[in-house]
Amino acid sequence: MDIEFNKNEDHNKQLVFKLKSRLEKVYLGGGEKKIASHHKKGKLTARERIEYLTDDGSTFLEVGALAGEGMYEEVGGCPSGGVVVGIGYVSGRQCVIVANDATVKAGAWFPITAKKNLRAQEVAMENRLPIIYLVDSAGVFLPMQNEIFPDKEHFGRQFRNNAKMSSMGIVQIAAIMGSCVAGGAYLPIMSDEAMIVDKTGSIFLAGSYLVKAAIGEDIDNETLGGATTHCEISGVTDNKFDNDEACLDYIRSIFNKIGKGDSAGFDRVTAALPKENPEDIYGILPHDRVKPYDTLHLLKYILDDSKFDEYKSQYGQTIVCGYGRIDGWAVGIVANQRKVVKTKKGEMQMGGVIYSDSADKAARFIMNSNQRKIPLVFFQDVSGFMVGSKSEHGGIIKDGAKMVNAMANSTVPKFTIVVGNSYGAGNYAMCGKAYDPRLIYAWPSAQIAVMSGASAAKTLLQIKVATLKAQGKEISEAEEESLLKEIKDKYNEELSPYYAASRLWVDGIIDPIETRNVISTGIEAADKAPIEKFNVGVIQT
């Protein structure tokens, strides 16, 4: 192995180490003292509940583990958005699990909590997966109620989704394992079956203090809305259990009797590992993001048996398209080619840039994949579309629109992995978050923004300097350099995959060698939902 491989390997392994260190901290939720306090009450934590509930030896694909990271620091932060979400297996049945983390501000809802819960419901609805709610929440975080309560994609949207999922025949099971108050009380009761843990679970529209203030009635919370009240008097909940474990055991018994739904019918054969060692992927991805690399080589570390049937290999070479398998599933790959390529006309095309011919090829490939009912996987390392008079005269906007149209109207499920750059309109064309990928994950090497940090900083600096000059102010070269650094530091922070993950622009950041498992889990989920007939609409030729 050459020195460049070793440099790349060291750099990428350090990025993965930092990722795992940050995740370990996130997994502690509100911290060890809060966890101990939780245990003292006889309760399991959110992650312990999920571990107990899911099948031994099965995988749990977490969605939004880094949500809320670095946000709300003025009120102590909100690790994982105060809720743990993911796709897991219960009694052999794949499902979505949502568990409030009461070690984080008593499980209160922050704006990012609402966004994450809605993402969980979206995953369930798109893939027709059963969903389990493990409820333990103090309700809306009141100091931020204006950012959570009234808008379309706020707190109330989850109850609308409860109703929609019910009409779609999606199984919803809820367990009240702690507090469940105010508007949040509707979520478990709009589910198909709601159970409650005795003495620790409670559910009411208003707690005892608010009842006293509102109507002058003196009553304790247990009598007002405890397990006995709701299982024996009101009938609001269906069954009560002595502890968390008994409640979770009952959910498992429900799931081992659920019938199978329809299938999308995606093709799967016996899985094969890549011929290339997946761990060598660390040495392939350049530590210097401006350096080129061969995407076809990278794919050999991801695809079954390292086999790839390339489509139009000599045309539109800055996008690689073709078919292969991941964990046995047939997939269509659309990936940015990062090496500089030479066309038949002798022209040199920059890697990571989408040209007219590349966009045209990708649009045709996406349509073919829909015709054949093959899920699509996008590997993003894109700087954007080619600019300049030659590209404009050649119709780059029209060809880019064709690609976006085909991708946006695709009815086969789409999955996106952000490998490196994800800039500007390239993010859109390569199935960014706005285009409904079933799952979208980033590698630690990813960057997501309108443009690169260097380009953006220089542009912003020019605007700032011009504004100051218009005000009659002159700045020295040293001041200009200091201003450039300040702008660049801020922009680079926003480029970070952690910035994106904390805001749920991506579902999470993963070790590159986890890519196969993420895509396989996603396609298995998507296979539960029959797909509609593909109709691309109007495309200019």
Side-chain angles (χ1 to χ4, degrees), residues 24 81 171 176 295 378 389 438 451 495:
E24 283 175 10
V171 173
I176 300 155
T295 299
F378 293 80
S389 60
R438 294 291 176 95
M451 63 180 76
L495 275 172

PDB file of all heavy atoms in Angstrom, residues 24 81 171 176 295 378 389 438 451 495:
ATOM      1  N   GLU A  24     -21.322   8.069  21.482  1.00  0.00           N
ATOM      2  CA  GLU A  24     -21.295   7.527  22.842  1.00  0.00           C
ATOM      3  C   GLU A  24     -21.828   8.544  23.847  1.00  0.00           C
ATOM      4  O   GLU A  24     -22.560   8.196  24.777  1.00  0.00           O
ATOM      5  CB  GLU A  24     -19.872   7.115  23.216  1.00  0.00           C
ATOM      6  CG  GLU A  24     -19.426   5.793  22.592  1.00  0.00           C
ATOM      7  CD  GLU A  24     -17.971   5.467  22.890  1.00  0.00           C
ATOM      8  OE1 GLU A  24     -17.369   6.176  23.730  1.00  0.00           O
ATOM      9  OE2 GLU A  24     -17.440   4.521  22.286  1.00  0.00           O
ATOM     10  N   GLY A  81     -32.534  14.918  20.348  1.00  0.00           N
ATOM     11  CA  GLY A  81     -33.856  15.526  20.271  1.00  0.00           C
ATOM     12  C   GLY A  81     -34.804  15.035  21.355  1.00  0.00           C
ATOM     13  O   GLY A  81     -36.014  15.241  21.282  1.00  0.00           O
ATOM     14  N   VAL A 171     -50.374  -0.594  11.388  1.00  0.00           N
ATOM     15  CA  VAL A 171     -50.545  -0.925  12.811  1.00  0.00           C
ATOM     16  C   VAL A 171     -49.782   0.067  13.681  1.00  0.00           C
ATOM     17  O   VAL A 171     -48.600   0.330  13.445  1.00  0.00           O
ATOM     18  CB  VAL A 171     -50.059  -2.364  13.088  1.00  0.00           C
ATOM     19  CG1 VAL A 171     -50.078  -2.665  14.581  1.00  0.00           C
ATOM     20  CG2 VAL A 171     -50.909  -3.369  12.322  1.00  0.00           C
ATOM     21  N   ILE A 176     -47.744   3.527  27.430  1.00  0.00           N
ATOM     22  CA  ILE A 176     -47.544   4.707  28.275  1.00  0.00           C
ATOM     23  C   ILE A 176     -46.695   4.251  29.453  1.00  0.00           C
ATOM     24  O   ILE A 176     -47.168   3.559  30.359  1.00  0.00           O
ATOM     25  CB  ILE A 176     -48.896   5.282  28.730  1.00  0.00           C
ATOM     26  CG1 ILE A 176     -49.733   5.684  27.511  1.00  0.00           C
ATOM     27  CG2 ILE A 176     -48.689   6.493  29.638  1.00  0.00           C
ATOM     28  CD1 ILE A 176     -51.214   5.684  27.749  1.00  0.00           C
ATOM     29  N   THR A 295     -14.686   6.627  -8.712  1.00  0.00           N
ATOM     30  CA  THR A 295     -15.896   6.157  -8.035  1.00  0.00           C
ATOM     31  C   THR A 295     -16.179   4.687  -8.338  1.00  0.00           C
ATOM     32  O   THR A 295     -16.689   3.955  -7.476  1.00  0.00           O
ATOM     33  CB  THR A 295     -17.098   7.032  -8.452  1.00  0.00           C
ATOM     34  OG1 THR A 295     -16.836   8.385  -8.059  1.00  0.00           O
ATOM     35  CG2 THR A 295     -18.387   6.559  -7.808  1.00  0.00           C
ATOM     36  N   PHE A 378     -28.295   6.668  -4.575  1.00  0.00           N
ATOM     37  CA  PHE A 378     -27.490   7.803  -5.024  1.00  0.00           C
ATOM     38  C   PHE A 378     -26.282   7.958  -4.102  1.00  0.00           C
ATOM     39  O   PHE A 378     -26.444   8.028  -2.876  1.00  0.00           O
ATOM     40  CB  PHE A 378     -28.319   9.090  -5.001  1.00  0.00           C
ATOM     41  CG  PHE A 378     -29.441   9.122  -6.004  1.00  0.00           C
ATOM     42  CD1 PHE A 378     -30.640   8.465  -5.760  1.00  0.00           C
ATOM     43  CD2 PHE A 378     -29.288   9.802  -7.205  1.00  0.00           C
ATOM     44  CE1 PHE A 378     -31.675   8.481  -6.684  1.00  0.00           C
ATOM     45  CE2 PHE A 378     -30.316   9.836  -8.143  1.00  0.00           C
ATOM     46  CZ  PHE A 378     -31.510   9.171  -7.878  1.00  0.00           C
ATOM     47  N   SER A 389     -20.474  29.795 -20.665  1.00  0.00           N
ATOM     48  CA  SER A 389     -21.227  29.994 -21.906  1.00  0.00           C
ATOM     49  C   SER A 389     -21.420  28.698 -22.689  1.00  0.00           C
ATOM     50  O   SER A 389     -22.494  28.444 -23.254  1.00  0.00           O
ATOM     51  CB  SER A 389     -20.536  31.036 -22.787  1.00  0.00           C
ATOM     52  OG  SER A 389     -19.217  30.596 -23.117  1.00  0.00           O
ATOM     53  N   ARG A 438     -35.987   7.554   0.813  1.00  0.00           N
ATOM     54  CA  ARG A 438     -36.549   6.811   1.940  1.00  0.00           C
ATOM     55  C   ARG A 438     -35.629   6.929   3.155  1.00  0.00           C
ATOM     56  O   ARG A 438     -36.084   7.014   4.281  1.00  0.00           O
ATOM     57  CB  ARG A 438     -36.732   5.333   1.561  1.00  0.00           C
ATOM     58  CG  ARG A 438     -37.766   5.089   0.468  1.00  0.00           C
ATOM     59  CD  ARG A 438     -39.184   5.370   0.923  1.00  0.00           C
ATOM     60  NE  ARG A 438     -40.124   5.208  -0.167  1.00  0.00           N
ATOM     61  CZ  ARG A 438     -40.813   4.092  -0.403  1.00  0.00           C
ATOM     62  NH1 ARG A 438     -40.661   3.033   0.383  1.00  0.00           N
ATOM     63  NH2 ARG A 438     -41.649   4.033  -1.413  1.00  0.00           N
ATOM     64  N   MET A 451     -22.434  26.046  -1.643  1.00  0.00           N
ATOM     65  CA  MET A 451     -21.145  25.973  -2.344  1.00  0.00           C
ATOM     66  C   MET A 451     -20.058  25.650  -1.334  1.00  0.00           C
ATOM     67  O   MET A 451     -20.310  25.613  -0.128  1.00  0.00           O
ATOM     68  CB  MET A 451     -20.836  27.282  -3.088  1.00  0.00           C
ATOM     69  CG  MET A 451     -20.695  28.487  -2.192  1.00  0.00           C
ATOM     70  SD  MET A 451     -20.343  30.020  -3.103  1.00  0.00           S
ATOM     71  CE  MET A 451     -21.953  30.408  -3.780  1.00  0.00           C
ATOM     72  N   LEU A 495     -21.071  23.749   7.093  1.00  0.00           N
ATOM     73  CA  LEU A 495     -20.810  22.714   6.084  1.00  0.00           C
ATOM     74  C   LEU A 495     -20.773  21.315   6.696  1.00  0.00           C
ATOM     75  O   LEU A 495     -20.995  20.312   6.019  1.00  0.00           O
ATOM     76  CB  LEU A 495     -19.447  22.951   5.425  1.00  0.00           C
ATOM     77  CG  LEU A 495     -19.313  23.911   4.254  1.00  0.00           C
ATOM     78  CD1 LEU A 495     -17.848  24.101   3.935  1.00  0.00           C
ATOM     79  CD2 LEU A 495     -20.037  23.380   3.036  1.00  0.00           C
TER      80      LEU A 495
END
